[in-house]
Structure formats: C-alpha cells, structure tokens
Amino acid sequence: MSNVDKYDKCFVKTFSVKKEKLKKLKYNTIPKWDSIGHMSLIGMLEETFNISMEMDDIIDFSSYEFGKKILKKYKVIIK
C-alpha cells in the first residue's frame, strides 16, 4: 500500500468520509473533526507511519492538504 493510500485510509477511518471529499477537508468543517477526532487522527497517523509528531505540528495539522506538508518533515512523502 502506498503512503497516499495509508494517509487517505487514516482520514476515511477516523472521520467516516468518502475518499473523494478528502482534498477539501479541513479541521472543524465536519462534526467528527473536532478536538477529539483530531487527536484520534494524529494517533492513527503516528501509528501508521511509525512517527511521533511534535506538539506544534499536531496543532498546525489543520487540513488534509497541509497535513502532507507536515508529514514531509518526518520523512513521510505523500504525493
């Protein structure tokens, strides 16, 4: 499974959204992406990619697209 597939799966499983909606997905734009959902997503991403994100990056992780840039810092490339 590619990194993009793994990344997408984390969002789909955490927020129960369709893959087609991911590119426009942002924090607090759907009911499930609240503070609790956010931490669930971060936990799943950390487990999936075997990383430990810094608090600033967890706070800045505000959208599907911006998350790709943050993960790049941890050498997780999502194209």
Side-chain angles (χ1 to χ4, degrees):
M1 185 180 295
S2 72
N3 280 350
V4 71
D5 289 334
K6 292 177 188 176
Y7 185 67
D8 288 355
K9 188 176 180 181
C10 289
F11 278 85
V12 169
K13 280 186 95 175
T14 302
F15 303 130
S16 303
V17 294
K18 294 187 180 194
K19 195 172 179 177
E20 301 80 45
K21 303 223 180 228
L22 295 179
K23 289 188 183 222
K24 294 183 180 181
L25 199 59
K26 295 181 181 175
Y27 179 73
N28 264 336
T29 57
I30 59 171
K32 286 193 175 186
W33 197 351
D34 57 8
S35 59
I36 295 169
H38 186 74
M39 292 313 296
S40 295
L41 173 65
I42 296 300
M44 187 176 287
L45 290 168
E46 288 180 330
E47 187 175 316
T48 298
F49 294 108
N50 197 28
I51 59 173
S52 182
M53 295 172 68
E54 296 174 12
M55 187 57 66
D56 287 345
D57 292 328
I58 292 170
I59 292 167
D60 290 345
F61 202 108
S62 58
S63 72
Y64 172 85
E65 289 297 330
F66 193 65
K68 293 177 186 179
K69 293 176 184 171
I70 290 174
L71 289 182
K72 194 173 189 180
K73 175 180 175 182
Y74 299 93
K75 297 180 176 47
V76 176
I77 307 303
I78 299 171
K79 295 183 180 182

